[in-house]
Amino acid sequence: MPLSEHEQRMLEQMERALYAEDPKFASALEGNGLRTYTRRRVYQAVAGFLIGIALLMTGMVMQQIWVSVVGFLVMLGCAVLAVTGWRKAPKPGEQPQGAARRQARPKRSVMDRIEQRWQRRRDEQGR
C-alpha cells in the first residue's frame, strides 16, 4: 500500500531529523540488514560444516562411530542452512523475496486485510 503525500512528507522529515541528529546511526540503518543477516548465517553454516568434517574425521580416527555420525549430521544440517540462506539473500538493489512474492500474489494475507481495514477506519474518522 503506497504512502499518502502527507505520510511521505512526514517520513522525509523524520529521515532528515535522524540524519541531523545522528548521521553515523542513520548511515548504519541504510545498509541492507536482511542481506547482512543471511550472509552471516551462510558464514556460520560454513564454519559449522568444517566443524562437522573435523568431528567426522575424529570419529574415524578414534573408531567411534557415534562421533562420526554426529559429525555427518552437523555437516548435513549446516549444508542445508548454507544453501537456504544463500538462496534467500537478495542481490544488491533487489527487493527481498517476501516483498516480491507479496506483490506477485493476488490473494491478500491476513495482515494486509487488517491494515486495509485499519486504514479505512482511519479515513472514515478523518471525514
Side-chain angles (χ1 to χ4, degrees):
M1 171 181 265
L3 297 175
S4 69
E5 289 180 29
H6 175 68
E7 292 170 332
Q8 188 67 35
R9 282 193 306 266
M10 293 291 289
L11 182 61
E12 289 171 0
Q13 281 180 336
M14 290 173 16
E15 287 176 358
R16 284 192 299 267
L18 179 62
Y19 276 105
E21 186 177 315
D22 193 356
K24 185 177 179 183
F25 178 68
S27 64
L29 288 179
E30 277 183 351
N32 192 343
L34 178 64
R35 187 164 186 231
T36 303
Y37 168 75
T38 53
R39 185 182 304 144
R40 186 179 319 130
R41 182 175 158 190
V42 168
Y43 291 149
Q44 290 171 347
V46 169
F49 188 84
L50 295 175
I51 290 171
I53 289 174
L55 283 172
L56 182 72
M57 298 304 284
T58 302
M60 290 172 62
V61 169
M62 293 176 29
Q63 295 181 349
Q64 297 289 324
I65 294 176
W66 67 273
V67 175
S68 295
V69 169
V70 169
F72 177 75
L73 292 175
V74 168
M75 288 171 51
L76 183 64
C78 289
V80 169
L81 281 176
V83 169
T84 58
W86 195 263
R87 279 192 205 146
K88 290 180 183 178
K91 306 288 185 274
E94 183 180 77
Q95 289 182 349
Q97 278 184 334
R101 216 179 303 133
R102 277 193 299 270
Q103 289 176 354
R105 70 174 181 215
K107 188 174 180 181
R108 293 187 173 203
S109 70
V110 174
M111 284 304 294
D112 289 338
R113 291 190 304 246
I114 290 172
E115 287 176 10
Q116 186 180 27
R117 288 179 191 157
W118 178 260
Q119 186 66 35
R120 212 177 316 135
R121 286 181 188 156
R122 205 168 122 207
D123 291 342
E124 288 173 1
Q125 287 178 354
R127 290 183 200 176

